[in-house]
Amino acid sequence: MRLYVLSRRKLVISLLVLITVGGLFAVQHSLTTPSLVRAPGTYYKANTQEKVVALTFDDGPDPIDTPSVLDILKEKEVRATFFVLGEAAQSNPILLKRIVLEGHEIGNHSFKHDYQQRHLVEEMNQTDQAVFAATGTHTYFYRPPGGFVSQNQLDTIKKNGHIVALWSVDSKDWRNPGVKQIVDNVMRNVFPGAIILMHDGGYQRTQTVKALGPIIVALRDQGYRLVTLSELKTMDSEIK
Ligand SMILES: [Zn+2]
C-alpha cells in the first residue's frame, strides 16, 4: 500500500464509497483498513466454512525482503501469492522465477503503483509481460494500488482478463506497528476463507519478515490451512 498520496477529491470520493459499502459489510466483519473498497465483483474472501486462508504479499519483489519471506515460506511449507509491481519484477527476474519455482502464485499489482491508475491497462499489461518474460506464466489476479478501484476501472480490468483481488484481513504491516501488533492484527481478524494482506516490498519489511513465522504457526495452531489465491477460489461455494 505504501504511503497515502491522495488528492482531496479522491479522498472524499473514497470516504463516500467506504461509508456506503463499508456500512453493509461491517455487519459481517469489522473493517480492517480505510482504503478497502469491497465493491461487488471484487474478490476479497472465499465463501467457505473450511478453515483455509490465503497469505498475499504486495509491492515486491524486493532483493532483500522477498528472499527472507521465501525462505520462511519454504521452511514452513506454505504456498502464498505475491502481487508484484512490474518495475520491481523487471529489475528482479531471478527472484520472480524463484517465487514460481517454489510453488507460489504471482498476481499483478500494476507497474509503478500509481494510486490513480491513470494508465491502468498499459501498466497491467507491462507487468504481465514482465512476469511472463521471467516465468513463462501470465497473471490472473489484479490488485489495485491501495485497494482503490472504481466501477469503470473494475469493468476495464475484467475486460482485460483479470479478476480484482482485494483482501479481508489487513496485517497493517505497512504501518510498521511492531512485530507483535502485526501478528495480532491478523489473528484477531482471521476467519475461514480470509485473504490476508502483507508486504514484501515498497519499504523495509523487517517487521513483516519477523512476524511471518509466528503468524503461520498461530494460524496452524487454530487449524487453518494456507493456500494460494487460486486454490482458495476453488473452495468458494459461490463462485461466479
Ligand atoms: Zn501496494
Side-chain angles (χ1 to χ4, degrees), residues 4 6-23 31 33-37 148-149:
Y4 288 107
L6 292 172
S7 67
R8 180 169 293 191
R9 185 170 160 268
K10 183 108 183 167
L11 190 66
V12 169
I13 292 169
S14 303
L15 282 172
L16 284 174
V17 175
L18 183 76
I19 289 161
T20 337
V21 180
L31 285 172
T33 166
S35 69
L36 187 52
V37 180
F148 296 107
V149 68

Side-chain angles (χ1 to χ4, degrees), residues 1-2 58-59 83 85 109 113 115 143-147 197 199 201 205:
M1 198 156 354
R2 301 203 280 194
D58 288 11
D59 298 351
F83 281 94
L85 289 175
H109 194 39
H113 212 278
Y115 287 102
R143 178 171 283 168
L197 172 69
H199 294 80
R205 300 301 177 194

Side-chain angles (χ1 to χ4, degrees), residues 113-201:
H113 212 278
D114 170 20
Y115 287 102
Q116 295 180 43
Q117 300 173 92
R118 282 162 288 201
H119 307 287
L120 175 61
V121 173
E122 291 90 328
E123 286 206 29
M124 204 186 317
N125 290 343
Q126 273 181 300
T127 299
D128 184 65
Q129 280 158 18
V131 170
F132 187 76
T135 67
T137 61
H138 285 286
T139 55
Y140 173 60
F141 293 108
Y142 174 78
R143 178 171 283 168
F148 296 107
V149 68
S150 68
Q151 188 59 53
N152 275 348
Q153 289 169 334
L154 196 64
D155 295 341
T156 306
I157 294 161
K158 277 184 188 168
K159 268 186 213 146
N160 205 40
H162 284 71
I163 286 187
V164 174
L166 299 176
W167 58 88
S168 32
V169 175
D170 186 353
S171 69
K172 294 188 180 163
D173 62 342
W174 46 276
R175 282 187 184 165
N176 279 322
V179 174
K180 190 183 175 299
Q181 190 60 55
I182 294 173
V183 178
D184 286 352
N185 289 340
V186 173
M187 298 315 298
R188 282 185 193 151
N189 296 294
V190 73
F191 60 91
I195 296 173
I196 299 167
L197 172 69
M198 300 183 79
H199 294 80
D200 66 322

